Amino acid sequence: MAATKAAPKKRSQFEEVWRRLKKNKMAMVGLAIVLMLVLLAVFADFLFDYDEIVIKQNTAIRLQGPSAEHWFGTDEFGRDILARLVHGGRISLVVGVIAVAIALTIGGTLGAISGFFGGKVDMLISRAMDILLAVPSLLLSITIVSALGPSILNLMIAIAVSSVPGYARIVRSSVMTVRDNEFVEAAKAIGANNAQIIASHILPNCLAPIIVQVSLKVASAILSTSGLSFLGLGVKAPTPEWGSMLSGGRAYLRNAPHLTVFPGFCIMLTILSLNLLGDGLRDALDPKLKQ
Amino acid sequence: MAQKNPKDLILDIKDLVIHYETDDGTVEAVNGIDIQLEYGKTLGLVGETGSGKTTTALSVLRLVPDPPGVIKNGSIFLDGKDIMNLPQKELEAVRGHLASMIFQDPMTSLNPVFTVGDQISEVIALHENCSKKEADEKAGDMLEVVGIPRERFAEYPHQFSGGMKQRVVIAMALACNPKLLLADEPTTALDVTIQAQVLETMKGLREKFGSAMIMITHDLGIIAEVCDEVSVVYAGQIVEHGTLVDVFNHTRHPYTEGLFGSLPNIEIKRNRLSPIPGLMPDPTDLPKGCCFAPRCKYATPDCEKARPAKKWLSDTHYVRCSRYDEPNFKIEREDQ
Amino acid sequence: MSRYVIKRLVMLIPVLIGVTFLVYFIISLSPGDTAAMLAGEDADAATIEALRHELGLDQPVIIQYARYMLNLLQGDMGNSYKTGRPVTNMIVSCFPNTAKLAFWSILVAVGIALPIGIISATKQYSMFDNVGMVVALIGVATPNFWLGLMMIILFSLNLGWLPSGGSKGWSSYIMPAITLGTGDAALITRMTRSSMLEVIRADYIRTARAKGVPEGKVVYQHALRNALIPVVTAIGLQFGSLLGGATLTETVFAWPGIGRSTVDSIKTKDTTQVLGNIVVLTITFSCVNLLVDILYAFIDPRIKAQYKK
């Protein structure tokens, strides 16, 4: 009986959020750009062949400005910048999403345990998170990547670890507010075990702040990825990545500024659209916070 | 129909209409309210939550939040001043001086980062030509008047209980001897025993300073205790108005009857209360006719056709109910 | 109050032990043989082994860490693997540069953010507000290392007005400080606006208006002081991360700060220098956060009351 009652309500809640989100023009612009970036990333291989266009060097046409043939010009090895940007977007999105997924899984679990059980477990986890938070996050990522060696996987781990405490805190405080609600008492009374209660009663009720946080954190993960690559600690050449493209273009600032202008613009556009979407989601999920 | 002499009126509101225009529709909060209040008198505004009482009071000081609040129509004269057309500077001179307001929730109506003394002395310094020191001195006096030792001048709101905070708010409101005091459910948020104390304090002070007062409440007991006249508000309209005796002893409107029916009465000892069925109409979608008709046991199909006009029953008593067009119509409540 | 500060300082100790261990542990994961690298390419096995023993690198990580901590407590962070000079030398020469840059950056940030945030909030949905918020959104999204490069292209390479790097003279501060400052400004502007909007709807603001307080005073005295509480946190946190995380901007502008020194040391596998830098940055970061918490008390008497308990 409870299930039949809950199902239609859930859908209507989703519809309600979508209705509110649709009214927010900025969020819709953000969503449109995000969808476009995702589509470009998915179909990157159809648009530009990886081996032939993206990484194959052709010094005869190096450092050319934008033209009809190469819309965004060519880089220091004669590669088409637009092609590299499209493929670079794929890496940024993948790294951003996976890093956030790892961080959310670890941080969310720790936070849920911490908030649900309280007491000594909570103490221990919270202190561990304090320690992680005490290191400026970019510095922590730098340290981890440099220790593990630069690679895409290590990049994701580094970014994930430095954002674990953020998720742990959010989930912990959401769980703590939900924990004492009557429906949790009721679930206990009918004999649900702790894991069941956390998974089926508490986490769904903390979803709103987590969804918002995820959309905003993917943006900052992408920023960190490009930052680390810019420092030479991320993706290795010749793999295209926005941050390393920027870094590569630094030597040619005077004569070929397009090498740095376009990758940076891509980073900015991606983060802007994710932030717009995240802000919109926040307002749509929690109208009380709207201003 | 009795018109009071405009010269005797501290407050004269005519046909006030206020809407809140939001994305989700227009809330018709106040729909043609008239108030004529004489100097030194107390008017009770009684009605359910959301009936437009607070909005009406806020409009007297032009404090209706805008956006989304829009005053669509009406005139407000306060001590002869045309409030609707007063420039900002003069409005500021009126607020807290000529008329001041006591808000519902004392827990949130004091600024948490200033001492209570400073908050009282601020209003004195603003309106009375005096030095900061004199203002502080007088603020201390006001604290004592409301029964708080002046030693607590330099304490912050979080160090006070709810009842004490409300006393501070009252001290602030009365600090400049306003001619009109707007009290918006001043005791609702307080414990019953504290309620009585605060009410006693207010009553005593009002007599001492001779201020007129509008008491907004949904508690008929408070009305009976402090008011000279009563206006019963429903869905942004005054449905019945009269002196305390008119409304309490010669109740005419079915809604007013319903309010009394919802009260436990020890003398009659009815077996059960008779609450008003149904809910207030959606303020974004008010009925075309009498707003109370959907809940009214006397309603006829005619009631839903047009908003009832004022029907004067005596010099002091009017009712908005079209059933009184029928000569023999009577509600069940007996004259007491 | 002083008891609270002491309590917080005491609580800092386990955090610092944890942090140093964490960093030490992560760095010890690095592949490659530090002793072999230090000994040089043509060193024989015996020399490498001797060096390894001398540095204590043949012992378990936990012992190495304990020794490091014992030395650290005596103010000795060891010698740089690369230069052989004490790690502290580098820190002492770099840190002031980072601190000076952080100071000017946060000044730029606050100078831009507070006025725009406040005006936007008081004139919500006005032209000023809409334009301001779009600019702030773009500002938050702009990677500051890219902004730095763009400014170099414009002001150094094309116009020739400002030096593209280094820390000589006041003109070399302008671009790094603006680069760092504008990013933070965007964040603080948004924070100020939303905090201000929340406060301006509060009951006590209505009370102030009902008292006849002039609108300007309502905004700048009654509302601002309450609205500032979360904003001060944001400013403090930004300042902390400027001290610790200006790495990218320092790299772009070849600024001789501690962030760039850390990255350089990582590239040359100068483990002791990296560790030393991170320990100092973390201590600074934690102290700034503590200062922010104390500053709260001066703005919000409710928090002060909590501290006294």
Side-chain angles (χ1 to χ4, degrees), chain B residues 54 58 61 63 88 92 95-96 99-101 103 105 108-114 119-120 122-123 126-127 156 158 172, chain C residues 125 202-217 221-223 225-226 229 299-303 305:
Chain B
T54 302
L58 285 174
L61 294 177
L63 284 173
Q88 179 74 16
E92 281 161 4
R95 294 174 183 162
S100 57
M101 188 152 176
F103 295 99
D105 189 355
T108 55
S109 51
L110 289 172
N111 194 324
V113 302
F114 297 120
Q119 295 191 51
I120 301 172
E122 181 180 31
V123 65
L126 276 170
H127 298 298
Y156 289 93
H158 70 269
M172 222 155 69
Chain C
Y125 303 133
D203 284 356
Y204 53 80
I205 295 303
R206 190 177 59 181
T207 310
R209 291 208 175 103
K211 287 200 294 193
V213 177
E215 194 56 32
K217 247 179 123 187
Q221 282 185 8
H222 287 258
R225 220 172 128 187
N226 286 283
I229 296 166
I299 311 180
D300 190 340
R302 287 165 298 182
I303 295 172

Side-chain angles (χ1 to χ4, degrees), chain A residues 30 34 76 90 101 107 134 137 146 156 161 167 170 203 246:
Chain A
V34 170
E76 68 270 33
R90 173 190 269 185
S137 65
S146 69
M156 292 191 282
V161 169
Y167 289 106
I170 294 171
L203 286 183
L246 257 177

